[in-house]
């Protein structure tokens, strides 16, 4: 029992210290055991983390390599490669219900080229082009009622609607 109380106290102190120091989560990967956790899920659910999971919680500096992050429900959140500590190449992202959320290329951590986005129900949300991290070219956006909006961007600025 003393061991359990000590572990819980340590976990609470870790969360308190982590939050009070305002550590930049963009510089860290969050693991529970060997599983890379989706940062959005950690931010949303960390205050309600079960004791078993909190014992295995680790914050590690971002490293290069193939990355698969998971939601707390076990479903895949993202899949891609980190190179020079940034997203590189083709990345895919999913909603917590398992449906695809986004896909596209990244260069030095910035979206580049054509990207597709989907709503949580699986319907297409948008198709558009990025150039060095800003909108550039044609964007087709779909409302939930299937109405399509087309916009043209140049260097991040809307030039035609």
């Amino acid at each position: 029992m003393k061991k359990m109380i000590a572990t819980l106290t340590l976990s609470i102190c870790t969360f308190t210290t982590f939050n009070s120091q305002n550590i930049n989560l963009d510089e860290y990967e969050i693991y529970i055991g060997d599983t890379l956790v989706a940062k959005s899920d950690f931010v949303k659910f960390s205050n309600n983390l079960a004791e078993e999971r909190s014992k295995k919680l680790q914050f590690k500096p971002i490293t290069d390599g193939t990355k698969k992050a998971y939601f707390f429900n076990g479903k895949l959140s993202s899949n891609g490669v980190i190179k020079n500590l940034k997203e590189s190449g083709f990345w895919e992202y999913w909603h917590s219900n398992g449906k695809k959320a986004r896909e596209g290329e990244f260069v030095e951590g910035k979206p580049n080229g054509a990207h597709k986005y989907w709503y949580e129900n699986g319907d297409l949300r948008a198709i558009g082009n990025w150039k060095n991290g800003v909108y550039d070219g044609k964007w087709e956006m779909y409302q939930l009622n299937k109405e399509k909006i087309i916009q043209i961007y140049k260097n991040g600025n809307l030039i035609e609607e």
Side-chain angles (χ1 to χ4, degrees):
M1 182 69 169
K2 286 183 182 181
K3 204 176 204 180
M4 188 168 75
I5 292 171
T7 302
L8 186 57
T9 303
L10 179 62
S11 297
I12 290 169
C13 289
T14 301
F15 285 128
T16 304
T17 302
F18 178 76
N19 289 331
S20 67
Q21 291 179 358
N22 293 322
I23 292 175
N24 184 356
L25 284 180
D26 291 335
E27 298 173 4
Y28 291 91
E29 297 173 331
I30 304 163
Y31 286 86
I32 294 183
D34 293 333
T35 303
L36 181 58
V37 175
K39 289 180 184 179
S40 61
D41 249 23
F42 175 76
V43 169
K44 189 174 181 181
F45 299 116
S46 64
N47 290 334
N48 299 321
L49 201 58
E51 180 183 351
E52 180 184 316
R53 285 185 168 176
S54 66
K55 287 181 196 178
K56 298 177 182 179
L57 185 64
Q58 300 174 56
F59 299 92
K60 299 178 182 179
I62 294 173
T63 58
D64 288 350
T66 300
K67 304 293 177 169
K68 285 188 177 189
Y70 293 86
F71 292 108
F72 284 139
N73 67 10
K75 294 191 185 281
L76 190 60
S77 166
S78 61
N79 181 36
V81 173
I82 298 289
K83 183 177 178 185
N84 298 322
L85 308 180
K86 297 176 181 171
E87 294 163 312
S88 181
F90 186 75
W91 273 79
E92 295 175 286
Y93 298 88
W94 288 266
H95 295 288
S96 61
N97 65 5
K99 297 202 183 239
K100 190 169 280 191
R102 177 182 184 179
E103 67 180 23
E105 294 284 331
F106 285 80
V107 175
E108 289 292 312
K110 296 177 182 175
N112 206 61
H115 280 236
K116 288 184 179 181
Y117 300 80
W118 291 269
Y119 288 104
E120 282 188 68
N121 68 4
D123 288 349
L124 186 61
R125 181 176 177 182
I127 299 173
N129 198 60
W130 292 87
K131 184 176 180 183
N132 199 28
V134 297
Y135 290 174
D136 193 77
K138 182 179 178 180
W139 277 81
E140 296 177 12
M141 290 159 280
Y142 300 88
Q143 304 298 321
L144 283 172
N145 63 5
K146 308 288 188 220
E147 181 184 333
K148 180 168 73 170
I149 298 169
I150 296 177
Q151 296 177 332
I152 308 295
Y153 288 84
K154 179 84 172 160
N155 297 321
N157 297 310
L158 180 63
I159 60 171
E160 184 182 322
E161 201 162 348

